Structure formats: structure tokens, C-alpha cells
Amino acid sequence: MAAHFDRRLRKAAVTTTVAAVAVAALSASQAPNVTADANGRQTTADNAPTSDTPSQESATGNSPYYTDLPPLDSPSPAPTIGTPASRGSSEAGIPATVLDAYKKAEAELRQSKPGCKLPWELLAAIGKVESGHARGGRVDADGTTIGKIIGPQLDGNGFALIKDTDNGVHDGNSTYDNAVGPMQFIPSTWAWAARDGNGDGKEDPNNVYDAALAAGHYLCRNNWDLSDQGELKSAILSYNNSQDYLTTVLSWLEHYRKGTHEIPDGTGSLPVGRSDDPGHGSGSSPSPGNSGTGTGTSTPRTTSPGPDPDPSPSPSKPSQPGKPTSPGTGSPSPTPPAESEPPAETPSPSPTPTDTVHHLENAGGTGLTAIAGDTFAEKISTRAETKDGKAVGKVRIRFTVVGDTDATFTGGEKVTAVTTNASGVAVAPALVAGEKTGGFTVRATVIGRSVEALDYKVTVTERVADALTSISDDPLTCAPGGEFADRVEVKATRKGAVADKVAVTATLVKSVLDSTENDKGPYFKDADDKAVRTLTGLKTDAKGLLKLPKLYADDTEGTYVLRLTTAGGATITVTLNVAETEPEPDPSDGASTEPDA
């Protein structure tokens, strides 16, 4: 049988003797808290968590993956599992462009989501088990794989059942979904996790820079801190919900943390011993071009949605024990032909819950409003229903932020997918308002089915303060035609807390009772040194403080009023005096103190 990229070994068959040696070697050399069972598979010493992420919401759709272990640290060659393969420098190293993509993704996440603490070694571990680092680094100068990497179709036949969600755009399959690219995203997850990692204006799951950055954002969602072992395991399991997957990724993570090196693109080794390799586990030679020691010259997978045709003949079956053969020929005795039977009709697949959705209903979240920078108090929720109004559970709903806004869902994403519960309701993560004010839309759609979208109108209003206080009580005085020595400074608060980034308007008005702008007295200066008596666009700083520009006075003496207002109704007035200063008394002008003659 031809070796296929998309069928990867899940469990290796080994003899008892080899397994015993492998267990001892793994126990001594692999990652902390990682041991091996009697079949050479890794297990964690502690009870790893299980993910509640369904296949449709995982990054890969829980597709198959490579389970080869890292090179052992033992100086003596350790026995291999299945087909012997070189564990030399090509396997220990990472192709240059792929390694660069992992490190660039870590650097970007360090800036955008510092609390996640994503190590590039985790991306490398996942990239290894998902695609062998893009098939040994077979990428072009921009990081795009030479030939698309496409996993098996997720048709429920040994895999999860995920019907087509992208009309075959990424995987070439308009019936079912396939995982695609070096990080093996299913199209429905790529739709919201996609990133442009190399700055070319495109989001391509077959580009290692785009895929690595998308994987980083995926692993950093839910505000996970990947330096915490429990949250690290949860993130990995959400990528592919398998305990074997978890332990394999953790093993490679620890391996790369101990050190690795860069190798030329295209010279990395592909993992070996996949479930569709001929003679797997028997020690026979691997398929041509997929030896595990090679240079990445195997035929790339393209956009065919299903398994490749098998051009090689199946090995002949041995004769049944005890069955005599014809004398002198060594051939088995002829058997009568079996009676032909009409082919059985293939039953039509039962409709999935998604197939039964007729429309979406609003289950909460109409007319949401929040102040800039705040988290919306109410969450958007959508109910999936059949034509007759019955709830439909286990349906994936995609929520997308649409419009000119910097608002996002918790975690910084503008697109998220949520599965409906038994009541048919999917609740989106909380929305976080950005700094842009105005209205936008959150759109709910059914993943995998053409159903009319449901739109939710959302509004972000200005930051507000309910109180303004002056920092100084000293009177502000200026001589006619001069400038005020001190500048006005105020503090804004809301419910007693600091109100930062609050817009403030300052106007020199005619009186406390007349808010009309004054045409004489104190004034500010614009960029052209012209007098202005109203300032807008002022904002308090992170401590809620605002210091106004310098004030000047014309030649008109008198008492004037400066009014400051904010959204939310906070107001304060400051009194300004323009008057000639009283001259100091001259001692020489006083009466003579000399005695009369």
C-alpha cells in the first residue's frame, strides 16, 4: 500500500522484549512526568485533564497525527518502534524557515498577549506531530508549502464527522472538511483563527508563518497562561482531544526546550510508522520517499479530499492451515467460486443536527451598549431551531464582529465559534469595547449550513466621568495683556474611581449662568498663536488627570469663568481674575520722620 501523508500512526505494535527496553529508555530520558506503557506509548504520570472541546471546535477536528517520539538521550542506540529509522540530526533539527515562523509567532504573541507566555517550542512540538514541520521544511521563500498538506476527509468513518464548511476552498472537498496546512487546521476553525504571519496581506493555512501565528492565537485564547501546567495541557487538548496526542506533544516540547538546531529547508525527516505504511510494525522497509531519514522528496498531497488511490498490490494471503495443496505444483486446491450477491445498497447517512437547523432566533443581547474600554455586561446568545421551532443542540454557531470597530470578544478575537447546548442556545464570549465609539454589528451564522444570519446591533459610547475636581485651590490671576503663571489642572472620576481617557471640553464662558463663549478676557492659543476660547479633544491621562494649556489675557480687566465638562455630565468652573497688580507702597512717599528744627 502506498504511503500517504494523511494517515498517521496512532499506536505502534512492538514485541514484549523491545517494549521492555523502550520503557526503560523512555523512563530515563523523556520529559518529566512522562513514562511509557508496555506498548511504548507515552503516558503522563499524573492524571492529565480531558478537554471538553468537541471535534468541530478543535483546531484539527481531532484528525490523526504522527506519534513518533523524540530521539532518546541515551548515548547507546535505543530500539526503534516499528520500522527502524535514523534518529540523527535531520530529525533533531528544525528546517530554517519553519523554525523562523515558530519564533516570529512567539515574538508577536509576546507583544499582543503577554499573559499567555507562549513558548515557540510548543508550536514546534505541535508542528512536528501535525506535519513533520511542513514535511521536512518543503516550503518556498515566503514560507508556503510546496503542495498543499491535506488530511483525510472527516466523514465519520474512523474520524470525526464534520461536513463541509468552506465549499472546498481550502481542502478541495465540498462534502466534508479536511484538516489543512502544516498546523492542520480544519476550515471552520481557520475561518476565525486565521492570521497573516508574514505580512503579505493574505491568510493562508498552507503558509508556515500564517499557520504558526494562528496556532499561537488559538492556544492563547480563553486567557490561558501556558506557563501553568494545567492550562498548558488544556490548550494542547483543545488542539486535538487525545491523551496520546497530549503526551506526544509534551514529549516534543520538552525535547525542544533542551535544545535544537536549524537545518536547511527540505532536509528534515518525515515521521515514520504511520498506520498505512506497508508492513508497519514488522520491521520491513518503509515506502520509497518516506523513509523517515530522507530529504522531504515524497510526493506532496494536493487538494484531493479523500485517500490517494493505492497503486501497489496487496500482499497475498497465506494458505489456510491444514489445507492440502495440489501435488507437484505447490498451489492450493481450487475452490468453487462463491455465489454472486447483488451489492448491498449504501444507506443514506442520518441527518446531523446541523442539517435540521432552519433558522436562528435571538436568545439575548439586543441593543447592547457599553462605555469605551469596558466589558459589555450582557452577552449575546443565539438559539438554533428547526422549522417548527424546536431547539437544536450540538450545532456550531459562528459569531463575527462586523464593522469599523476595535471591539473584540474576550481574548482579543473578532470571530469565535460556540456549540449550542441542549436548549439550542449558544452564548458568545463577553464583548470588550475598544476606544472607537459608535455602532457595529455582531453576526451569528450556522457553521456548515446556509441559514440566514442573525445580526445584533451594538454601540460603544464615550468614556464618562461623573465628577471633576480641581487639583489646586489657589486663585488664578493675571495682569491685562499678560499670561497666567499657573495652569488649570483637574482630576476626573467615575463612581469614585479614576476615569482615564475621558474627553473634556474647556470653554471660557460669559458667566456661571451664561454658557455662551466669551469674546473677551482670558484665552488659549492655537498652533498659529491665534486666540481661541474653546478647546475640544482634551483627554485625561491614565491617572484621570488633565492639565490645560497655558492661558493668556487681553487688556480687559475683570472676573471671568472657565467651564470644563465631560460626557456623563461632570462639570467644574474655575474663576480667573484679570487685574492690575497693586503697587508696593514706596517708603519715600510717606510723611517725614525727621523732627522739626
Side-chain angles (χ1 to χ4, degrees):
M1 181 182 294
H4 301 164
F5 173 81
D6 60 320
R7 288 292 183 94
R8 297 170 252 178
L9 173 65
R10 286 188 178 276
K11 297 178 182 179
V14 294
T15 64
T16 303
T17 303
V18 171
V21 179
V23 169
L26 285 167
S27 299
S29 65
Q30 294 295 331
N33 298 325
V34 177
T35 59
D37 63 16
N39 293 320
R41 293 173 308 207
Q42 290 178 287
T43 60
T44 50
D46 56 333
N47 291 326
T50 57
S51 171
D52 58 0
T53 304
S55 298
Q56 295 91 335
E57 290 184 29
S58 69
T60 68
N62 296 336
S63 293
Y65 52 90
Y66 287 113
T67 59
D68 288 39
L69 302 177
L72 299 176
D73 295 335
S74 171
S76 301
T80 57
I81 297 173
T83 302
S86 168
R87 299 270 180 169
S89 61
S90 64
E91 176 150 352
I94 300 176
T97 299
V98 184
L99 179 59
D100 185 55
Y102 297 148
K103 291 185 175 181
K104 276 186 167 57
E106 179 201 52
E108 198 281 337
L109 267 298
R110 195 183 301 128
Q111 295 294 322
S112 61
K113 296 182 179 179
C116 177
K117 301 173 187 174
L118 170 80
W120 68 262
E121 292 90 345
L122 176 59
L123 297 176
I126 290 176
K128 178 66 175 179
V129 303
E130 293 297 344
S131 68
H133 300 312
R135 296 179 307 209
R138 296 189 69 244
V139 296
D140 64 18
D142 295 323
T144 302
T145 59
I146 300 171
K148 292 185 176 181
I149 300 176
I150 300 180
Q153 66 177 14
L154 301 173
D155 56 5
N157 184 19
F159 309 110
L161 174 60
I162 304 178
K163 292 194 174 183
D164 174 63
T165 61
D166 68 335
N167 294 319
V169 170
H170 294 299
D171 54 15
N173 188 346
S174 58
T175 305
Y176 299 99
D177 270 349
N178 306 61
V180 295
M183 302 303 275
Q184 288 290 276
F185 278 97
I186 54 173
S188 57
T189 301
W190 181 257
W192 62 266
R195 293 293 188 282
D196 177 14
N198 61 353
D200 64 356
K202 297 183 293 184
E203 298 169 343
D204 182 3
N206 289 289
N207 181 278
V208 291
Y209 289 98
D210 296 358
L213 184 57
H217 276 279
Y218 181 90
L219 294 164
C220 287
R221 74 198 195 288
N222 298 332
N223 291 324
W224 276 325
D225 176 0
L226 300 185
S227 66
D228 178 90
Q229 190 71 2
E231 296 190 10
L232 170 67
K233 290 178 180 180
S234 295
I236 295 172
L237 283 168
S238 77
Y239 208 92
N240 193 317
N241 191 11
S242 160
Q243 290 294 320
D244 285 339
Y245 182 86
L246 172 66
T247 53
T248 304
V249 169
L250 287 175
S251 180
W252 280 106
L253 170 60
E254 184 66 18
H255 174 73
Y256 289 134
R257 277 175 166 164
K258 291 178 180 177
T260 185
H261 61 281
E262 178 184 298
I263 59 175
D265 290 343
T267 63
S269 62
L270 286 174
V272 296
R274 298 186 302 273
S275 58
D276 58 351
D277 281 343
H280 170 68
S282 64
S284 61
S285 299
S287 302
N290 290 294
S291 65
T293 64
T295 60
T297 57
S298 59
T299 303
R301 288 301 310 276
T302 55
T303 56
S304 56
D308 291 338
D310 182 9
S312 58
S314 300
S316 58
K317 296 180 180 178
S319 57
Q320 297 179 11
K323 188 145 186 157
T325 58
S326 301
T329 64
S331 301
S333 301
T335 56
E339 294 183 9
S340 61
E341 296 180 1
E345 292 185 4
T346 303
S348 300
S350 301
T352 65
T354 301
D355 296 330
T356 66
V357 177
H358 178 265
H359 60 273
L360 296 176
E361 289 288 340
N362 180 11
T366 302
L368 274 70
T369 301
I371 296 169
D374 285 0
T375 298
F376 285 79
E378 188 178 1
K379 294 181 179 179
I380 290 173
S381 56
T382 299
R383 175 181 161 98
E385 296 184 353
T386 62
K387 188 174 183 178
D388 55 1
K390 293 182 179 178
V392 185
K394 298 182 179 180
V395 174
R396 296 189 75 206
I397 305 297
R398 179 183 294 127
F399 296 96
T400 306
V401 176
V402 180
D404 183 17
T405 180
D406 53 355
T408 65
F409 293 109
T410 303
E413 309 295 343
K414 286 203 169 188
V415 184
T416 187
V418 181
T419 301
T420 58
N421 58 23
S423 300
V425 176
V427 181
L431 274 169
V432 179
E435 294 304 318
K436 287 186 178 180
T437 59
F440 63 94
T441 299
V442 173
R443 181 162 296 154
T445 55
V446 179
I447 296 176
R449 185 165 174 79
S450 296
V451 173
E452 184 177 357
L454 184 60
D455 286 349
Y456 297 79
K457 300 302 179 183
V458 185
T459 303
V460 176
T461 61
E462 284 186 296
R463 290 175 180 259
V464 299
D466 55 22
L468 282 172
T469 55
S470 178
I471 298 301
S472 174
D473 293 329
D474 294 338
L476 297 176
T477 303
C478 175
E483 61 184 52
F484 288 82
D486 297 319
R487 292 162 62 180
V488 176
E489 187 174 9
V490 296
K491 182 176 182 179
T493 56
R494 178 159 57 98
K495 296 180 179 179
V498 166
D500 63 327
K501 299 180 182 179
V502 172
V504 178
T505 298
T507 305
L508 290 151
V509 298
K510 291 189 174 181
S511 71
V512 173
L513 300 177
D514 186 353
S515 59
T516 306
E517 180 183 284
N518 211 333
D519 57 358
K520 58 185 177 181
Y523 61 89
F524 301 103
K525 287 184 179 180
D526 63 13
D528 297 324
D529 279 343
K530 292 183 178 179
V532 292
R533 289 186 168 87
T534 297
L535 294 179
T536 59
L538 304 171
K539 285 193 175 182
T540 60
D541 63 15
K543 296 180 180 179
L545 299 175
L546 172 65
K547 182 177 283 188
L548 270 62
K550 183 173 287 190
L551 275 163
Y552 303 85
D554 63 16
D555 295 331
T556 309
E557 293 188 82
T559 300
Y560 299 92
V561 175
L562 172 65
R563 172 173 288 170
L564 292 87
T565 60
T566 74
T571 302
I572 189 173
T573 58
V574 178
T575 301
L576 306 172
N577 292 311
V578 179
E580 291 286 356
T581 57
E582 292 291 335
E584 294 279 342
D586 188 348
S588 63
D589 293 339
S592 174
T593 60
E594 294 181 4
D596 293 336

